[in-house]
Amino acid sequence: MPTSTSNNSHIDSPSHPFPIEQLDDLISPFLVPPGQRINLAKDYDSGFKASHLKKSKAKGQLKAGIKTLAKYQYLLYAQNTHSLLIVFQAMDAAGKDSTIKHVMSGINPQGCQVNSFKAPSATELEHDYLWRCSKALPERGQIGIFNRSHYEEILITRIHPEIMEQRQLPPHLIDKQIWERRFEEINNFEKYLVNNGTIILKFFLNVSKDEQKERFLERIDRPEKNWKFSINDAKERARWDDYMTVYEDMFNHTSTEWAPWYIIPADRKWFTRLVVAGIIYTKLEELNLHYPKISKEQHRELLKAKAMLESNE
């Protein structure tokens, strides 16, 4: 829309600070620096929490933060120039579902869509590995959440090479360089999205092996959670070290300036949720979102419409 010269300051992007002190300092340790190699076990503590944040206050802080996110979501929708893609990856029981549930609880469902990517269907296997995620990307003004994502192709497939056979690729493409090519393909895919107005946030919820065990046992002991556990979960847990190796390799190759990874401590769910909400807030605030401003002609039309409405009972 043309920019109006009238005073529209009252509809400019509002200032709604997130209710956590030292937010930038809190977030920065969880960023995977692009171009640098990290050691997942040594550099990122799954049990970390900031000393100035207290569990007793976390619920209220998150509630206030959710209200702030809701305001920025409305601005994102109104401006309709950007979309936001939020990617969650993690080991089982790290808290992806509950983080999505709590952090996005105040978001208007019309402006947000969650997609969960499990084992590919027969139709999806007939396409390239990015196809199913490409068709689920958020529209402008929308927030899209991937619960697991295109990164499954360079995680689970590396742990279970037999899955690659389902892809029916030409044999010469399944060589020693396939993972390097896929890192490059994913980086280029994400850069293309960013160059077209999609903001990408990638979260790895970093749960410890001991905490995962406790959560698995809880799922077994509580009947209402039995459905969330299968024997395959225990089998995959036996390959924990293999998973940590491929995750670390993924971070070292796909944390980029345009789409960096954040490794979020996940042993304390209340802390995980606050940090994820804070990072989303920070990114939306950086966009300097504003409500669209109308032209003088459009403003005159509004006044005419108002007069017509007020003149009729």
Side-chain angles (χ1 to χ4, degrees), residues 22-33 43-45 48 261-265:
Q22 307 167 29
L23 184 58
D24 290 340
D25 292 338
L26 173 67
I27 291 171
S28 58
F30 309 133
L31 177 71
V32 179
D43 298 336
Y44 297 90
D45 179 6
F48 175 86
W261 277 101
Y262 292 89
I263 299 178
I264 311 298

Side-chain angles (χ1 to χ4, degrees), residues 19-20 31 50 80 83 94 98 104 113 122 131 144 147 152 164 167 180 193 202 213 219 239 246 258 285 290:
I20 294 179
L31 177 71
N80 200 39
S83 60
S98 64
M104 310 308 290
Q113 184 174 10
W131 178 78
N147 186 343
E152 290 294 285
M164 186 62 72
R167 284 287 177 195
E180 295 292 333
L193 296 179
K202 301 185 298 194
K213 177 182 177 179
R219 291 180 178 183
R239 304 199 63 176
V246 296
W258 53 90
E285 186 185 40
H290 295 272

Side-chain angles (χ1 to χ4, degrees), residues 21 41-42 63 92 96 100 117 152 155 175 178 186 191 194 204 219 226 229 243 261 268-269 271 274 278 282 293 309:
E21 297 178 0
K42 294 181 179 180
K63 184 177 180 179
D92 290 327
K96 297 188 304 301
I100 294 169
F117 296 99
E152 290 294 285
L155 292 168
D175 57 15
I178 187 171
I186 288 175
K191 189 169 187 178
V194 170
F204 173 67
R219 291 180 178 183
N226 288 170
F229 184 81
Y243 272 104
W261 277 101
R268 295 178 173 88
K269 290 185 178 181
F271 184 72
L274 278 177
T282 299
K293 296 181 180 181
L309 290 169

Side-chain angles (χ1 to χ4, degrees), residues 139-205:
E139 302 173 4
R140 297 192 191 282
Q142 300 280 316
I143 296 175
I145 300 173
F146 284 0
N147 186 343
R148 302 191 187 278
S149 67
H150 44 293
Y151 283 97
E152 290 294 285
E153 191 68 21
I154 54 175
L155 292 168
I156 187 71
T157 307
R158 296 184 74 178
I159 302 298
H160 297 282
E162 65 274 12
I163 296 175
M164 186 62 72
E165 297 177 6
Q166 301 174 15
R167 284 287 177 195
Q168 302 183 59
L169 288 172
H172 73 275
L173 292 178
I174 306 176
D175 57 15
K176 293 182 179 180
Q177 286 74 46
I178 187 171
W179 306 119
E180 295 292 333
R181 289 198 301 271
R182 294 203 167 183
F183 292 144
E184 183 180 8
E185 289 160 0
I186 288 175
N187 289 340
N188 289 338
F189 171 67
E190 292 178 348
K191 189 169 187 178
Y192 167 79
L193 296 179
V194 170
N195 287 344
N196 282 273
T198 298
I199 308 302
I200 302 174
L201 289 174
K202 301 185 298 194
F203 298 115
F204 173 67
L205 304 190

Side-chain angles (χ1 to χ4, degrees), residues 92-137:
D92 290 327
K96 297 188 304 301
D97 292 345
S98 64
T99 299
I100 294 169
K101 174 184 176 181
H102 284 82
V103 173
M104 310 308 290
S105 61
I107 298 299
N108 187 332
Q110 295 185 84
C112 181
Q113 184 174 10
V114 180
N115 287 276
S116 296
F117 296 99
K118 301 184 183 298
S121 67
T123 299
E124 290 167 345
L125 288 171
E126 293 297 328
H127 292 267
D128 65 271
Y129 70 93
L130 291 173
W131 178 78
R132 65 174 181 166
C133 292
S134 296
K135 65 189 186 72
L137 291 169

